[in-house]
Amino acid sequence: MAKVRSHFVCQSCGASHTQWLGQCSQCKQWNTLVDEVLDRVEEKRGSPASVKSRQPKPIAIDEIPAQDGPRTPLSDHELSRVLGGGIVPGSITLIGGEPGIGKSTLLLQTALRNPHLRVLYVSGEESEHQVKMRAERLNQEYGAASTSANCYVLTETNTQSIFKHIEALKPGLVVIDSIQTLHTAALDASPGSVGQVRECAAELMRFAKATGTPMVLIGHITKDGFIAGPKVLEHMVDCVLQFEGDRDHAYRLLRPLKNRFGSTNELGIYEMRGTGLAPVDDPSQVLLGNRTERPSGVVVAATLEGQRPLLIEVQALVSSAVYGTPQRSSTGFDLRRLNMLLAVLEKRCGFRLGAKDVFLNLAGGFRVEEPAIDLAVVCAVLSSNADIAVPMDCCFAGEVGLTGEVRPVTRADQRVAEAAKLGFVRIFVAQGTKGMAPVKGIEVIHVARVEQVLAHLFG
Ligand code: TYD
Ligand code: MG
């Protein structure tokens, strides 16, 4: 196949160069040149007939048939929900995550456990045997090999060949593992380079839209947390899902960062088991465990993850600093925010924490960004400091401001309902929290300042 002409474009100023240079001669930025396709004539010749035949023309919006409905539901409720209720025909979903977090596992088990859907799993990273070994492991629990009769594996990295196989097989879903391993003949650059990744994704997208084949692309994440190289990809695709979690813990969160067909407030929670990823239906129950008592420094926060209320254990340890400078360390909670809360306690509420080491941890390896967890953090710190346990049946939902005031949180009613469901009998929320209907079995205590909570708890 004749080579497509390509050129090197500076990603900073847009200047075009005929060869790769370390520094852009126009804007003098380093390492900004990326290989891009100059004209697509040759490439189109190689693309499938269905793509070529489609000639777009203006069409009145009223005449466009509404496409809501033919979403394909998945047997995995968590994934279905995060996608907004199933897979939309012709959509492209990018799923990103650190290596080893379970992206391949999630998509292979999706491919295996949806017999109504013919899935083509394109693996550029693992051989057929490796995929088979993983599939056997995943099938252990589900037993029946027949569930996977509709799953096809292809170890190919050339986009044009992949398109040919898709045309022949006509799958209902294509999984690409991973986008960084693909390469298109249109560019000389090596697989994984920004130019290749972007061009491959663009080809996949044109193909998906033209043929109506939904695709899921797996993308690796760099150390900085970006979907490697192709931050640009996030603009092109329809949905971006982030698969995250602590590799040392069993829980994994599937979070939509962008969704053209649904809300980004959803959240999927999984547990990594020996036989694959199992959806967690009642995460609060799992996270809180079957404790019969909570020692000092351990309190429960009623937070929201996406749209789901989630009760999480906040653990604090306060001890006298051995060295001159006290240590502050935090897992799952923003360290700067912890420092701010400690300063509030010191300055506004008169607790002498300046000479104390403070360690904070959220159980289960979760990360909570929501300020509603502040009140629980403050109570955990003070409980550990005084070495007095907070009663088992209390939980907290409130943001703490710089003056020591407790501020209302959103969706308080959902949090209260979840707390009541799990057997808590008291929940502390801010004065003026809106939308609160009384819930049976739980007392809602309104507080305006941190000191009032302490008066309630420790007398
Ligand atoms: P993997 O899906 O290969 O990660 P990614 O594709 O995101 O790089 O998952 C790898 C990890 O998952 C690996 O360390 C082992 C673990 N794992 C299990 O614990 N149970 C299982 O059933 C499977 C298949 C993997
Ligand atoms: Mg993988």
Side-chain angles (χ1 to χ4, degrees):
M1 187 171 116
K3 269 274 166 286
V4 183
R5 283 199 300 139
S6 70
H7 61 164
F8 294 85
V9 178
C10 173
Q11 301 298 297
S12 177
C13 71
S16 163
H17 304 257
T18 51
Q19 60 175 3
W20 191 83
L21 299 167
Q23 186 189 28
C24 173
S25 59
Q26 298 288 317
C27 67
K28 307 292 180 212
Q29 292 279 335
W30 289 93
N31 292 327
T32 54
L33 296 204
V34 167
D35 204 0
E36 282 185 6
V37 174
L38 201 54
D39 63 76
R40 298 186 188 281
V41 184
E42 287 297 325
E43 184 226 343
K44 276 200 191 119
R45 199 171 292 163
S47 60
S50 41
V51 176
K52 267 188 287 184
S53 60
R54 194 171 173 269
Q55 284 290 340
K57 56 180 194 304
I59 175 167
I61 193 155
D62 289 340
E63 288 166 24
I64 304 174
Q67 268 230 336
D68 210 19
R71 280 181 189 251
T72 320
L74 299 170
S75 63
D76 180 344
H77 302 301
E78 298 287 294
L79 183 59
S80 249
R81 196 161 39 77
V82 169
L83 286 171
I87 291 198
V88 177
S91 68
I92 293 233
T93 303
L94 176 67
I95 165 162
E98 284 175 28
I101 203 80
K103 304 180 292 294
S104 307
T105 307
L106 178 68
L107 289 167
L108 187 60
Q109 76 180 43
T110 304
L112 294 172
R113 294 175 191 171
N114 287 284
H116 59 286
L117 199 63
R118 179 179 289 178
V119 184
L120 179 65
Y121 188 95
V122 182
S123 176
E125 298 194 337
E126 291 166 71
S127 70
E128 284 137 7
H129 297 291
Q130 284 170 317
V131 176
K132 173 74 183 170
M133 270 166 59
R134 191 195 292 260
E136 277 178 350
R137 209 170 142 180
L138 295 174
N139 268 343
Q140 269 170 19
E141 202 170 322
Y142 280 66
S146 56
T147 54
S148 36
N150 234 347
C151 170
Y152 292 80
V153 178
L154 173 69
T155 47
E156 172 64 72
T157 53
N158 181 287
T159 49
Q160 300 306 327
S161 318
I162 293 173
F163 293 149
K164 286 202 188 89
H165 288 293
I166 298 177
E167 296 241 295
L169 190 67
K170 301 212 171 10
L173 174 69
V174 177
V175 176
I176 307 279
D177 186 4
S178 66
I179 181 76
Q180 274 99 349
T181 58
L182 290 198
H183 69 93
T184 164
L187 288 180
D188 275 334
S190 57
S193 63
V194 177
Q196 277 286 4
V197 166
R198 192 159 61 178
E199 193 54 34
C200 289
E203 278 180 23
L204 290 172
M205 199 168 67
R206 284 196 295 275
F207 184 85
K209 301 281 176 231
T211 60
T213 316
M215 295 194 188
V216 179
L217 318 179
I218 293 179
H220 296 296
I221 276 190
T222 54
K223 286 202 194 75
D224 327 324
F226 291 124
I227 295 181
K231 188 72 184 159
V232 274
L233 284 190
E234 294 191 12
H235 303 290
M236 298 161 63
V237 300
D238 299 309
C239 302
V240 180
L241 307 183
Q242 173 117 323
F243 205 32
E244 56 186 42
D246 198 333
R247 247 188 298 173
D248 304 328
H249 286 84
Y251 297 105
R252 303 282 187 273
L253 303 183
L254 189 63
R255 213 187 276 281
L257 301 182
K258 161 181 174 180
N259 192 351
R260 286 188 182 150
F261 318 111
S263 152
T264 52
N265 278 331
E266 295 292 352
L267 178 83
I269 304 181
Y270 292 92
E271 184 186 349
M272 181 63 99
R273 301 217 183 125
T275 50
L277 290 156
V280 178
D281 295 325
D282 196 351
S284 304
Q285 186 80 58
V286 179
L287 283 176
L288 294 181
N290 285 329
R291 272 189 189 263
T292 46
E293 59 164 351
R294 283 202 181 85
S296 68
V298 180
V299 307
V300 174
T303 67
L304 277 185
E305 273 289 350
Q307 292 187 339
R308 294 163 99 181
L310 189 66
L311 266 62
I312 287 191
E313 229 178 56
V314 179
Q315 309 175 340
L317 186 67
V318 179
S319 66
S320 300
V322 185
Y323 304 107
T325 343
Q327 296 186 60
R328 269 78 211 267
S329 145
S330 163
T331 315
F333 184 73
D334 186 20
L335 183 60
R336 273 173 306 180
R337 188 136 190 115
L338 173 64
N339 281 327
M340 184 209 94
L341 293 175
L342 293 177
V344 169
L345 288 179
E346 178 107 27
K347 178 98 181 170
R348 303 278 177 202
C349 313
F351 289 95
R352 310 218 43 84
L353 296 165
K356 299 284 176 81
D357 287 343
V358 179
F359 305 95
L360 192 81
N361 180 37
L362 298 195
F366 275 80
R367 235 204 115 65
V368 176
E369 310 277 351
E370 210 205 12
I373 195 173
D374 287 355
L375 191 57
V377 170
V378 164
C379 290
V381 167
L382 294 178
S383 155
S384 174
N385 188 39
D387 203 13
I388 303 174
V390 170
M392 275 285 283
D393 52 11
C394 288
C395 64
F396 304 85
E399 183 182 340
V400 174
L402 281 181
T403 59
E405 87 276 18
V406 180
R407 309 177 59 162
V409 296
T410 53
R411 298 176 197 245
D413 48 340
Q414 282 185 24
R415 300 174 204 254
V416 173
E418 179 79 359
K421 198 176 95 192
L422 286 161
F424 287 88
V425 297
R426 281 189 288 169
I427 180 166
F428 290 85
V429 300
Q431 202 117 55
T433 303
K434 295 217 176 62
M436 303 276 293
V439 179
K440 201 164 159 273
I442 190 163
E443 183 191 358
V444 179
I445 303 171
H446 293 267
V447 286
R449 295 191 56 80
V450 171
E451 296 91 322
Q452 292 175 3
V453 187
L454 302 181
H456 269 284
L457 288 177
F458 307 125

